[in-house]
Amino acid sequence: MFEIIIVEDNKQFNEQIYKIINSFQIQNKLKYKISRFYDYNDELEKNIKSDDFYKIYILDIELSTLNGIQIANKIRKLGSDCPIIIITSHKVEYQDQLLSEKIMFSKFIHKEEKDWMEQLKEELRYLILPKVRKRILRINTREAYIQLQINKIIYIDYNDRQCKIVTKSSDVLVSRTLTEILNSLDERFMYCFKSKVINTDLIEKIDKKNRSIYLEDNIVIDKVSEKYLKDILNYINKKDL
């Protein structure tokens, strides 16, 4: 399980960061713990020393007791290589200190930059999604036990009570409903018709006018449902924010 720890003394920014993280969790159908602190205290120290979860720290620098750099040092001295995101209004004043301390941090975000929230979302995508996405689809039927690499699945088509799973190397027929298979996949797989889902990570081009989707391996899906095309475009746009 994941835990994201926010250490920010400004209540408004603390709340904004929390809302971004919680919204990211809901949009991507994830489940992780969010812990919020407004300063360094005994509870935060206990959290740092525990190793119950895969952790991501979001640290402000200017705090009343220890500053964010000192907290980051404590985290590293315990041997933890967990991601640390520094988010602060004091970029220039502390940049040299961060470099001299040789603290490995994932991202340095300046609150005064207009796109700081988008920077944070992008970093969460980079740090979290590869960790939580399933890599293998396992299907156990009366006829066979099948394992497929999920990132190589191009699309899945349901017809005559069977699903045809088209991958980069082969086609596989299984006696499963589309819903059953989708329940074992993640958010990147989306409907383009009621009986077909595609891997949106493998989209190379979308012709909006003709409602055509071009996938890897020269596969083209024509006349995509308007509703599903809109859903796919919305998902891609959110992912690119």
Side-chain angles (χ1 to χ4, degrees):
M1 185 174 176
F2 283 83
E3 181 180 12
I4 301 181
I5 299 99
I6 306 166
V7 187
E8 166 64 68
D9 62 344
N10 183 298
K11 290 184 178 181
Q12 181 181 348
F13 274 115
N14 195 304
E15 182 66 19
Q16 282 182 301
I17 293 168
Y18 170 79
K19 286 181 178 178
I20 290 168
I21 294 169
N22 194 47
S23 175
F24 182 85
Q25 177 176 221
I26 294 168
Q27 287 175 2
N28 290 282
K29 300 177 183 177
L30 303 174
K31 186 176 181 181
Y32 47 69
K33 182 180 179 181
I34 305 173
S35 300
R36 301 167 70 181
F37 298 91
Y38 296 92
D39 204 349
Y40 187 81
N41 55 31
D42 291 341
E43 188 179 350
L44 177 56
E45 184 173 3
K46 184 179 178 181
N47 182 293
I48 292 171
K49 290 179 178 178
S50 71
D51 57 357
D52 298 335
F53 304 106
Y54 171 80
K55 297 178 181 178
I56 298 172
Y57 287 90
I58 301 175
L59 306 177
D60 184 22
I61 291 183
E62 285 282 310
L63 300 167
S64 300
T65 53
L66 296 183
N67 66 39
I69 298 172
Q70 292 170 313
I71 295 172
N73 265 320
K74 279 183 171 287
I75 295 167
R76 293 292 180 244
K77 283 178 181 177
L78 287 169
S80 173
D81 61 353
C82 65
I84 297 174
I85 300 171
I86 298 291
I87 182 164
T88 181
S89 299
H90 304 277
K91 185 175 183 178
V92 177
E93 297 94 312
Y94 290 97
Q95 199 160 0
D96 290 341
Q97 185 181 350
L98 281 165
L99 292 172
S100 65
E101 294 279 357
K102 295 182 180 180
I103 299 171
M104 292 187 300
F105 59 93
S106 172
K107 184 78 173 177
F108 194 108
I109 299 174
H110 190 204
K111 292 176 187 173
E112 303 301 322
E113 293 177 354
K114 291 182 179 179
D115 67 339
W116 75 267
M117 288 187 284
E118 283 69 30
Q119 290 183 50
L120 179 56
K121 291 175 191 175
E122 179 58 35
E123 193 61 19
L124 292 174
R125 273 191 287 269
Y126 171 76
L127 293 172
I128 295 176
L129 291 185
K131 294 277 185 183
V132 298
R133 279 186 164 179
K134 290 178 63 176
R135 297 182 181 181
I136 302 294
L137 173 64
R138 295 178 173 86
I139 302 172
N140 194 11
T141 70
R142 290 181 180 179
E143 297 81 20
Y145 175 74
I146 301 164
Q147 289 193 146
L148 298 170
Q149 293 186 49
I150 288 177
N151 62 357
K152 292 186 178 180
I153 297 174
I154 302 173
Y155 70 85
I156 305 169
D157 206 359
Y158 181 73
N159 185 40
D160 196 23
R161 298 184 181 181
Q162 284 188 316
C163 275
K164 180 172 76 170
I165 304 174
V166 178
T167 75
K168 293 182 180 182
S169 58
S170 63
D171 297 354
V172 179
L173 282 174
V174 294
S175 301
R176 287 285 186 273
T177 67
L178 197 52
T179 301
E180 286 173 330
I181 293 178
L182 271 178
N183 286 338
S184 298
L185 298 173
D186 54 46
E187 82 292 338
R188 83 190 98 163
F189 289 87
M190 300 187 70
Y191 284 98
C192 58
F193 299 104
K194 285 184 178 180
S195 60
K196 188 191 294 283
V197 298
I198 59 171
N199 183 348
T200 59
D201 279 357
L202 302 185
I203 292 175
E204 294 184 338
K205 174 186 172 183
I206 297 179
D207 181 340
K208 297 180 185 178
K209 183 178 179 180
N210 295 307
R211 305 202 314 274
S212 298
I213 295 178
Y214 294 77
L215 300 165
E216 289 188 11
D217 284 13
N218 298 313
I219 293 173
V220 182
I221 311 292
D222 288 318
K223 301 301 179 184
V224 174
S225 158
E226 289 186 17
K227 176 188 180 301
Y228 293 134
L229 182 62
K230 183 178 179 181
D231 291 341
I232 291 168
L233 288 168
N234 285 339
Y235 169 75
I236 292 171
N237 289 334
K238 285 181 181 178
K239 190 171 66 170
D240 291 339
L241 284 177

